[in-house]
Amino acid sequence: MKPLNRTCFVCQKAVTSETSTINPVVNLPVCQKCIGTEAEQQEEKAVLDSLADGFVCGCI
């Protein structure tokens, strides 16, 4: 099976399954250099905030 091309969602550098971990909050790969950093936390917020852009709940 061909390996998937993946990038760190924080720094955008190429990673492999050996050099990265999946961030449990956003379910995206993060490299060893970015794990636990302030930049990772900021990107988590940015990714989660972008999910709600343009959506309005119609439930009443």
Side-chain angles (χ1 to χ4, degrees), residues 35-59:
I35 290 175
T37 64
E38 182 67 31
E40 180 186 20
Q41 293 174 1
Q42 290 174 351
E43 284 299 315
E44 282 178 5
K45 290 178 186 177
V47 168
L48 294 176
D49 287 345
S50 70
L51 290 176
D53 287 349
F55 290 100
V56 177
C57 180
C59 303

mmCIF file with all atom_site columns, all heavy atoms in Angstrom, residues 35-59:
data_model
loop_
_atom_site.group_PDB
_atom_site.id
_atom_site.type_symbol
_atom_site.label_atom_id
_atom_site.label_alt_id
_atom_site.label_comp_id
_atom_site.label_asym_id
_atom_site.label_entity_id
_atom_site.label_seq_id
_atom_site.pdbx_PDB_ins_code
_atom_site.Cartn_x
_atom_site.Cartn_y
_atom_site.Cartn_z
_atom_site.occupancy
_atom_site.B_iso_or_equiv
_atom_site.pdbx_formal_charge
_atom_site.auth_seq_id
_atom_site.auth_comp_id
_atom_site.auth_asym_id
_atom_site.auth_atom_id
_atom_site.pdbx_PDB_model_num
ATOM 1   N N   . ILE A 1 35 ? 4.048   19.463 18.709 1.00 0.00 ? 35 ILE A N   1
ATOM 2   C CA  . ILE A 1 35 ? 3.183   18.875 19.741 1.00 0.00 ? 35 ILE A CA  1
ATOM 3   C C   . ILE A 1 35 ? 3.315   19.650 21.048 1.00 0.00 ? 35 ILE A C   1
ATOM 4   O O   . ILE A 1 35 ? 4.410   19.884 21.531 1.00 0.00 ? 35 ILE A O   1
ATOM 5   C CB  . ILE A 1 35 ? 3.530   17.394 19.975 1.00 0.00 ? 35 ILE A CB  1
ATOM 6   C CG1 . ILE A 1 35 ? 3.127   16.558 18.766 1.00 0.00 ? 35 ILE A CG1 1
ATOM 7   C CG2 . ILE A 1 35 ? 2.846   16.858 21.225 1.00 0.00 ? 35 ILE A CG2 1
ATOM 8   C CD1 . ILE A 1 35 ? 3.550   15.115 18.858 1.00 0.00 ? 35 ILE A CD1 1
ATOM 9   N N   . GLY A 1 36 ? 2.167   20.063 21.582 1.00 0.00 ? 36 GLY A N   1
ATOM 10  C CA  . GLY A 1 36 ? 2.131   20.721 22.881 1.00 0.00 ? 36 GLY A CA  1
ATOM 11  C C   . GLY A 1 36 ? 2.513   22.189 22.884 1.00 0.00 ? 36 GLY A C   1
ATOM 12  O O   . GLY A 1 36 ? 2.597   22.800 23.940 1.00 0.00 ? 36 GLY A O   1
ATOM 13  N N   . THR A 1 37 ? 2.732   22.773 21.724 1.00 0.00 ? 37 THR A N   1
ATOM 14  C CA  . THR A 1 37 ? 3.143   24.173 21.666 1.00 0.00 ? 37 THR A CA  1
ATOM 15  C C   . THR A 1 37 ? 1.936   25.105 21.654 1.00 0.00 ? 37 THR A C   1
ATOM 16  O O   . THR A 1 37 ? 0.804   24.695 21.403 1.00 0.00 ? 37 THR A O   1
ATOM 17  C CB  . THR A 1 37 ? 3.984   24.457 20.406 1.00 0.00 ? 37 THR A CB  1
ATOM 18  O OG1 . THR A 1 37 ? 3.161   24.234 19.251 1.00 0.00 ? 37 THR A OG1 1
ATOM 19  C CG2 . THR A 1 37 ? 5.226   23.580 20.351 1.00 0.00 ? 37 THR A CG2 1
ATOM 20  N N   . GLU A 1 38 ? 2.184   26.359 21.917 1.00 0.00 ? 38 GLU A N   1
ATOM 21  C CA  . GLU A 1 38 ? 1.151   27.388 21.841 1.00 0.00 ? 38 GLU A CA  1
ATOM 22  C C   . GLU A 1 38 ? 0.610   27.489 20.414 1.00 0.00 ? 38 GLU A C   1
ATOM 23  O O   . GLU A 1 38 ? -0.587  27.687 20.204 1.00 0.00 ? 38 GLU A O   1
ATOM 24  C CB  . GLU A 1 38 ? 1.729   28.741 22.285 1.00 0.00 ? 38 GLU A CB  1
ATOM 25  C CG  . GLU A 1 38 ? 0.723   29.872 22.285 1.00 0.00 ? 38 GLU A CG  1
ATOM 26  C CD  . GLU A 1 38 ? -0.364  29.710 23.341 1.00 0.00 ? 38 GLU A CD  1
ATOM 27  O OE1 . GLU A 1 38 ? -0.091  29.120 24.395 1.00 0.00 ? 38 GLU A OE1 1
ATOM 28  O OE2 . GLU A 1 38 ? -1.492  30.193 23.097 1.00 0.00 ? 38 GLU A OE2 1
ATOM 29  N N   . ALA A 1 39 ? 1.482   27.309 19.442 1.00 0.00 ? 39 ALA A N   1
ATOM 30  C CA  . ALA A 1 39 ? 1.055   27.359 18.039 1.00 0.00 ? 39 ALA A CA  1
ATOM 31  C C   . ALA A 1 39 ? 0.050   26.252 17.744 1.00 0.00 ? 39 ALA A C   1
ATOM 32  O O   . ALA A 1 39 ? -0.933  26.478 17.021 1.00 0.00 ? 39 ALA A O   1
ATOM 33  C CB  . ALA A 1 39 ? 2.272   27.224 17.118 1.00 0.00 ? 39 ALA A CB  1
ATOM 34  N N   . GLU A 1 40 ? 0.243   25.068 18.320 1.00 0.00 ? 40 GLU A N   1
ATOM 35  C CA  . GLU A 1 40 ? -0.707  23.978 18.113 1.00 0.00 ? 40 GLU A CA  1
ATOM 36  C C   . GLU A 1 40 ? -2.067  24.342 18.704 1.00 0.00 ? 40 GLU A C   1
ATOM 37  O O   . GLU A 1 40 ? -3.107  24.135 18.082 1.00 0.00 ? 40 GLU A O   1
ATOM 38  C CB  . GLU A 1 40 ? -0.203  22.682 18.745 1.00 0.00 ? 40 GLU A CB  1
ATOM 39  C CG  . GLU A 1 40 ? -1.168  21.525 18.545 1.00 0.00 ? 40 GLU A CG  1
ATOM 40  C CD  . GLU A 1 40 ? -0.769  20.263 19.288 1.00 0.00 ? 40 GLU A CD  1
ATOM 41  O OE1 . GLU A 1 40 ? 0.028   20.334 20.245 1.00 0.00 ? 40 GLU A OE1 1
ATOM 42  O OE2 . GLU A 1 40 ? -1.281  19.204 18.904 1.00 0.00 ? 40 GLU A OE2 1
ATOM 43  N N   . GLN A 1 41 ? -2.075  24.917 19.891 1.00 0.00 ? 41 GLN A N   1
ATOM 44  C CA  . GLN A 1 41 ? -3.331  25.306 20.527 1.00 0.00 ? 41 GLN A CA  1
ATOM 45  C C   . GLN A 1 41 ? -4.057  26.372 19.716 1.00 0.00 ? 41 GLN A C   1
ATOM 46  O O   . GLN A 1 41 ? -5.280  26.324 19.570 1.00 0.00 ? 41 GLN A O   1
ATOM 47  C CB  . GLN A 1 41 ? -3.071  25.789 21.944 1.00 0.00 ? 41 GLN A CB  1
ATOM 48  C CG  . GLN A 1 41 ? -2.593  24.672 22.856 1.00 0.00 ? 41 GLN A CG  1
ATOM 49  C CD  . GLN A 1 41 ? -2.190  25.174 24.232 1.00 0.00 ? 41 GLN A CD  1
ATOM 50  O OE1 . GLN A 1 41 ? -2.285  26.355 24.529 1.00 0.00 ? 41 GLN A OE1 1
ATOM 51  N NE2 . GLN A 1 41 ? -1.737  24.258 25.074 1.00 0.00 ? 41 GLN A NE2 1
ATOM 52  N N   . GLN A 1 42 ? -3.310  27.326 19.165 1.00 0.00 ? 42 GLN A N   1
ATOM 53  C CA  . GLN A 1 42 ? -3.924  28.369 18.346 1.00 0.00 ? 42 GLN A CA  1
ATOM 54  C C   . GLN A 1 42 ? -4.505  27.790 17.065 1.00 0.00 ? 42 GLN A C   1
ATOM 55  O O   . GLN A 1 42 ? -5.594  28.176 16.637 1.00 0.00 ? 42 GLN A O   1
ATOM 56  C CB  . GLN A 1 42 ? -2.906  29.461 18.023 1.00 0.00 ? 42 GLN A CB  1
ATOM 57  C CG  . GLN A 1 42 ? -2.532  30.289 19.222 1.00 0.00 ? 42 GLN A CG  1
ATOM 58  C CD  . GLN A 1 42 ? -1.421  31.280 18.917 1.00 0.00 ? 42 GLN A CD  1
ATOM 59  O OE1 . GLN A 1 42 ? -0.815  31.248 17.850 1.00 0.00 ? 42 GLN A OE1 1
ATOM 60  N NE2 . GLN A 1 42 ? -1.148  32.166 19.860 1.00 0.00 ? 42 GLN A NE2 1
ATOM 61  N N   . GLU A 1 43 ? -3.795  26.850 16.441 1.00 0.00 ? 43 GLU A N   1
ATOM 62  C CA  . GLU A 1 43 ? -4.297  26.222 15.221 1.00 0.00 ? 43 GLU A CA  1
ATOM 63  C C   . GLU A 1 43 ? -5.525  25.365 15.504 1.00 0.00 ? 43 GLU A C   1
ATOM 64  O O   . GLU A 1 43 ? -6.434  25.307 14.679 1.00 0.00 ? 43 GLU A O   1
ATOM 65  C CB  . GLU A 1 43 ? -3.213  25.395 14.541 1.00 0.00 ? 43 GLU A CB  1
ATOM 66  C CG  . GLU A 1 43 ? -2.189  26.226 13.808 1.00 0.00 ? 43 GLU A CG  1
ATOM 67  C CD  . GLU A 1 43 ? -2.788  27.057 12.692 1.00 0.00 ? 43 GLU A CD  1
ATOM 68  O OE1 . GLU A 1 43 ? -3.608  26.534 11.913 1.00 0.00 ? 43 GLU A OE1 1
ATOM 69  O OE2 . GLU A 1 43 ? -2.448  28.238 12.598 1.00 0.00 ? 43 GLU A OE2 1
ATOM 70  N N   . GLU A 1 44 ? -5.562  24.706 16.665 1.00 0.00 ? 44 GLU A N   1
ATOM 71  C CA  . GLU A 1 44 ? -6.752  23.941 17.055 1.00 0.00 ? 44 GLU A CA  1
ATOM 72  C C   . GLU A 1 44 ? -7.973  24.857 17.062 1.00 0.00 ? 44 GLU A C   1
ATOM 73  O O   . GLU A 1 44 ? -9.020  24.526 16.512 1.00 0.00 ? 44 GLU A O   1
ATOM 74  C CB  . GLU A 1 44 ? -6.592  23.342 18.453 1.00 0.00 ? 44 GLU A CB  1
ATOM 75  C CG  . GLU A 1 44 ? -5.752  22.119 18.535 1.00 0.00 ? 44 GLU A CG  1
ATOM 76  C CD  . GLU A 1 44 ? -5.605  21.616 19.963 1.00 0.00 ? 44 GLU A CD  1
ATOM 77  O OE1 . GLU A 1 44 ? -6.237  22.173 20.901 1.00 0.00 ? 44 GLU A OE1 1
ATOM 78  O OE2 . GLU A 1 44 ? -4.842  20.658 20.167 1.00 0.00 ? 44 GLU A OE2 1
ATOM 79  N N   . LYS A 1 45 ? -7.821  26.013 17.716 1.00 0.00 ? 45 LYS A N   1
ATOM 80  C CA  . LYS A 1 45 ? -8.928  26.974 17.796 1.00 0.00 ? 45 LYS A CA  1
ATOM 81  C C   . LYS A 1 45 ? -9.328  27.462 16.407 1.00 0.00 ? 45 LYS A C   1
ATOM 82  O O   . LYS A 1 45 ? -10.505 27.570 16.092 1.00 0.00 ? 45 LYS A O   1
ATOM 83  C CB  . LYS A 1 45 ? -8.546  28.152 18.676 1.00 0.00 ? 45 LYS A CB  1
ATOM 84  C CG  . LYS A 1 45 ? -8.449  27.801 20.139 1.00 0.00 ? 45 LYS A CG  1
ATOM 85  C CD  . LYS A 1 45 ? -8.017  28.988 20.965 1.00 0.00 ? 45 LYS A CD  1
ATOM 86  C CE  . LYS A 1 45 ? -7.787  28.588 22.409 1.00 0.00 ? 45 LYS A CE  1
ATOM 87  N NZ  . LYS A 1 45 ? -7.295  29.698 23.217 1.00 0.00 ? 45 LYS A NZ  1
ATOM 88  N N   . ALA A 1 46 ? -8.344  27.749 15.564 1.00 0.00 ? 46 ALA A N   1
ATOM 89  C CA  . ALA A 1 46 ? -8.626  28.241 14.216 1.00 0.00 ? 46 ALA A CA  1
ATOM 90  C C   . ALA A 1 46 ? -9.364  27.193 13.389 1.00 0.00 ? 46 ALA A C   1
ATOM 91  O O   . ALA A 1 46 ? -10.314 27.517 12.681 1.00 0.00 ? 46 ALA A O   1
ATOM 92  C CB  . ALA A 1 46 ? -7.326  28.650 13.522 1.00 0.00 ? 46 ALA A CB  1
ATOM 93  N N   . VAL A 1 47 ? -8.945  25.938 13.500 1.00 0.00 ? 47 VAL A N   1
ATOM 94  C CA  . VAL A 1 47 ? -9.598  24.863 12.746 1.00 0.00 ? 47 VAL A CA  1
ATOM 95  C C   . VAL A 1 47 ? -11.031 24.678 13.236 1.00 0.00 ? 47 VAL A C   1
ATOM 96  O O   . VAL A 1 47 ? -11.961 24.576 12.443 1.00 0.00 ? 47 VAL A O   1
ATOM 97  C CB  . VAL A 1 47 ? -8.800  23.541 12.856 1.00 0.00 ? 47 VAL A CB  1
ATOM 98  C CG1 . VAL A 1 47 ? -9.608  22.368 12.343 1.00 0.00 ? 47 VAL A CG1 1
ATOM 99  C CG2 . VAL A 1 47 ? -7.488  23.653 12.105 1.00 0.00 ? 47 VAL A CG2 1
ATOM 100 N N   . LEU A 1 48 ? -11.219 24.666 14.554 1.00 0.00 ? 48 LEU A N   1
ATOM 101 C CA  . LEU A 1 48 ? -12.566 24.477 15.096 1.00 0.00 ? 48 LEU A CA  1
ATOM 102 C C   . LEU A 1 48 ? -13.470 25.667 14.791 1.00 0.00 ? 48 LEU A C   1
ATOM 103 O O   . LEU A 1 48 ? -14.652 25.494 14.497 1.00 0.00 ? 48 LEU A O   1
ATOM 104 C CB  . LEU A 1 48 ? -12.501 24.218 16.602 1.00 0.00 ? 48 LEU A CB  1
ATOM 105 C CG  . LEU A 1 48 ? -11.830 22.903 17.006 1.00 0.00 ? 48 LEU A CG  1
ATOM 106 C CD1 . LEU A 1 48 ? -11.735 22.796 18.517 1.00 0.00 ? 48 LEU A CD1 1
ATOM 107 C CD2 . LEU A 1 48 ? -12.564 21.714 16.428 1.00 0.00 ? 48 LEU A CD2 1
ATOM 108 N N   . ASP A 1 49 ? -12.939 26.887 14.849 1.00 0.00 ? 49 ASP A N   1
ATOM 109 C CA  . ASP A 1 49 ? -13.728 28.077 14.534 1.00 0.00 ? 49 ASP A CA  1
ATOM 110 C C   . ASP A 1 49 ? -14.153 28.082 13.072 1.00 0.00 ? 49 ASP A C   1
ATOM 111 O O   . ASP A 1 49 ? -15.253 28.509 12.749 1.00 0.00 ? 49 ASP A O   1
ATOM 112 C CB  . ASP A 1 49 ? -12.947 29.354 14.838 1.00 0.00 ? 49 ASP A CB  1
ATOM 113 C CG  . ASP A 1 49 ? -12.825 29.632 16.327 1.00 0.00 ? 49 ASP A CG  1
ATOM 114 O OD1 . ASP A 1 49 ? -13.575 29.015 17.119 1.00 0.00 ? 49 ASP A OD1 1
ATOM 115 O OD2 . ASP A 1 49 ? -11.979 30.457 16.705 1.00 0.00 ? 49 ASP A OD2 1
ATOM 116 N N   . SER A 1 50 ? -13.296 27.598 12.185 1.00 0.00 ? 50 SER A N   1
ATOM 117 C CA  . SER A 1 50 ? -13.615 27.614 10.761 1.00 0.00 ? 50 SER A CA  1
ATOM 118 C C   . SER A 1 50 ? -14.720 26.619 10.410 1.00 0.00 ? 50 SER A C   1
ATOM 119 O O   . SER A 1 50 ? -15.376 26.754 9.387  1.00 0.00 ? 50 SER A O   1
ATOM 120 C CB  . SER A 1 50 ? -12.376 27.335 9.919  1.00 0.00 ? 50 SER A CB  1
ATOM 121 O OG  . SER A 1 50 ? -11.976 25.986 10.068 1.00 0.00 ? 50 SER A OG  1
ATOM 122 N N   . LEU A 1 51 ? -14.941 25.619 11.270 1.00 0.00 ? 51 LEU A N   1
ATOM 123 C CA  . LEU A 1 51 ? -15.992 24.638 11.001 1.00 0.00 ? 51 LEU A CA  1
ATOM 124 C C   . LEU A 1 51 ? -17.388 25.264 11.056 1.00 0.00 ? 51 LEU A C   1
ATOM 125 O O   . LEU A 1 51 ? -18.306 24.815 10.392 1.00 0.00 ? 51 LEU A O   1
ATOM 126 C CB  . LEU A 1 51 ? -15.919 23.485 12.006 1.00 0.00 ? 51 LEU A CB  1
ATOM 127 C CG  . LEU A 1 51 ? -14.729 22.562 11.876 1.00 0.00 ? 51 LEU A CG  1
ATOM 128 C CD1 . LEU A 1 51 ? -14.758 21.530 12.998 1.00 0.00 ? 51 LEU A CD1 1
ATOM 129 C CD2 . LEU A 1 51 ? -14.716 21.870 10.532 1.00 0.00 ? 51 LEU A CD2 1
ATOM 130 N N   . ALA A 1 52 ? -17.567 26.317 11.847 1.00 0.00 ? 52 ALA A N   1
ATOM 131 C CA  . ALA A 1 52 ? -18.884 26.918 12.046 1.00 0.00 ? 52 ALA A CA  1
ATOM 132 C C   . ALA A 1 52 ? -19.142 28.091 11.119 1.00 0.00 ? 52 ALA A C   1
ATOM 133 O O   . ALA A 1 52 ? -20.258 28.620 11.089 1.00 0.00 ? 52 ALA A O   1
ATOM 134 C CB  . ALA A 1 52 ? -19.025 27.362 13.491 1.00 0.00 ? 52 ALA A CB  1
ATOM 135 N N   . ASP A 1 53 ? -18.176 28.507 10.333 1.00 0.00 ? 53 ASP A N   1
ATOM 136 C CA  . ASP A 1 53 ? -18.366 29.663 9.435  1.00 0.00 ? 53 ASP A CA  1
ATOM 137 C C   . ASP A 1 53 ? -19.499 29.421 8.455  1.00 0.00 ? 53 ASP A C   1
ATOM 138 O O   . ASP A 1 53 ? -19.515 28.454 7.714  1.00 0.00 ? 53 ASP A O   1
ATOM 139 C CB  . ASP A 1 53 ? -17.084 29.972 8.650  1.00 0.00 ? 53 ASP A CB  1
ATOM 140 C CG  . ASP A 1 53 ? -16.005 30.599 9.514  1.00 0.00 ? 53 ASP A CG  1
ATOM 141 O OD1 . ASP A 1 53 ? -16.320 30.976 10.662 1.00 0.00 ? 53 ASP A OD1 1
ATOM 142 O OD2 . ASP A 1 53 ? -14.866 30.702 9.047  1.00 0.00 ? 53 ASP A OD2 1
ATOM 143 N N   . GLY A 1 54 ? -20.485 30.330 8.483  1.00 0.00 ? 54 GLY A N   1
ATOM 144 C CA  . GLY A 1 54 ? -21.582 30.257 7.527  1.00 0.00 ? 54 GLY A CA  1
ATOM 145 C C   . GLY A 1 54 ? -22.703 29.315 7.904  1.00 0.00 ? 54 GLY A C   1
ATOM 146 O O   . GLY A 1 54 ? -23.680 29.209 7.175  1.00 0.00 ? 54 GLY A O   1
ATOM 147 N N   . PHE A 1 55 ? -22.602 28.637 9.027  1.00 0.00 ? 55 PHE A N   1
ATOM 148 C CA  . PHE A 1 55 ? -23.662 27.714 9.422  1.00 0.00 ? 55 PHE A CA  1
ATOM 149 C C   . PHE A 1 55 ? -24.563 28.352 10.461 1.00 0.00 ? 55 PHE A C   1
ATOM 150 O O   . PHE A 1 55 ? -24.100 29.001 11.391 1.00 0.00 ? 55 PHE A O   1
ATOM 151 C CB  . PHE A 1 55 ? -23.085 26.418 10.003 1.00 0.00 ? 55 PHE A CB  1
ATOM 152 C CG  . PHE A 1 55 ? -22.424 25.562 8.973  1.00 0.00 ? 55 PHE A CG  1
ATOM 153 C CD1 . PHE A 1 55 ? -21.053 25.549 8.824  1.00 0.00 ? 55 PHE A CD1 1
ATOM 154 C CD2 . PHE A 1 55 ? -23.184 24.772 8.127  1.00 0.00 ? 55 PHE A CD2 1
ATOM 155 C CE1 . PHE A 1 55 ? -20.422 24.753 7.888  1.00 0.00 ? 55 PHE A CE1 1
ATOM 156 C CE2 . PHE A 1 55 ? -22.576 23.980 7.166  1.00 0.00 ? 55 PHE A CE2 1
ATOM 157 C CZ  . PHE A 1 55 ? -21.207 23.965 7.042  1.00 0.00 ? 55 PHE A CZ  1
ATOM 158 N N   . VAL A 1 56 ? -25.840 28.186 10.293 1.00 0.00 ? 56 VAL A N   1
ATOM 159 C CA  . VAL A 1 56 ? -26.814 28.660 11.252 1.00 0.00 ? 56 VAL A CA  1
ATOM 160 C C   . VAL A 1 56 ? -27.722 27.486 11.588 1.00 0.00 ? 56 VAL A C   1
ATOM 161 O O   . VAL A 1 56 ? -28.233 26.806 10.703 1.00 0.00 ? 56 VAL A O   1
ATOM 162 C CB  . VAL A 1 56 ? -27.670 29.821 10.683 1.00 0.00 ? 56 VAL A CB  1
ATOM 163 C CG1 . VAL A 1 56 ? -28.717 30.240 11.663 1.00 0.00 ? 56 VAL A CG1 1
ATOM 164 C CG2 . VAL A 1 56 ? -26.773 30.979 10.285 1.00 0.00 ? 56 VAL A CG2 1
ATOM 165 N N   . CYS A 1 57 ? -27.914 27.244 12.847 1.00 0.00 ? 57 CYS A N   1
ATOM 166 C CA  . CYS A 1 57 ? -28.752 26.129 13.263 1.00 0.00 ? 57 CYS A CA  1
ATOM 167 C C   . CYS A 1 57 ? -30.220 26.473 13.010 1.00 0.00 ? 57 CYS A C   1
ATOM 168 O O   . CYS A 1 57 ? -30.681 27.535 13.386 1.00 0.00 ? 57 CYS A O   1
ATOM 169 C CB  . CYS A 1 57 ? -28.522 25.824 14.744 1.00 0.00 ? 57 CYS A CB  1
ATOM 170 S SG  . CYS A 1 57 ? -29.536 24.464 15.330 1.00 0.00 ? 57 CYS A SG  1
ATOM 171 N N   . GLY A 1 58 ? -30.947 25.568 12.404 1.00 0.00 ? 58 GLY A N   1
ATOM 172 C CA  . GLY A 1 58 ? -32.370 25.762 12.142 1.00 0.00 ? 58 GLY A CA  1
ATOM 173 C C   . GLY A 1 58 ? -33.250 25.046 13.135 1.00 0.00 ? 58 GLY A C   1
ATOM 174 O O   . GLY A 1 58 ? -34.465 25.007 12.975 1.00 0.00 ? 58 GLY A O   1
ATOM 175 N N   . CYS A 1 59 ? -32.666 24.501 14.167 1.00 0.00 ? 59 CYS A N   1
ATOM 176 C CA  . CYS A 1 59 ? -33.446 23.755 15.163 1.00 0.00 ? 59 CYS A CA  1
ATOM 177 C C   . CYS A 1 59 ? -34.172 24.716 16.098 1.00 0.00 ? 59 CYS A C   1
ATOM 178 O O   . CYS A 1 59 ? -33.606 25.650 16.610 1.00 0.00 ? 59 CYS A O   1
ATOM 179 C CB  . CYS A 1 59 ? -32.525 22.870 16.007 1.00 0.00 ? 59 CYS A CB  1
ATOM 180 S SG  . CYS A 1 59 ? -31.561 21.717 15.055 1.00 0.00 ? 59 CYS A SG  1
#
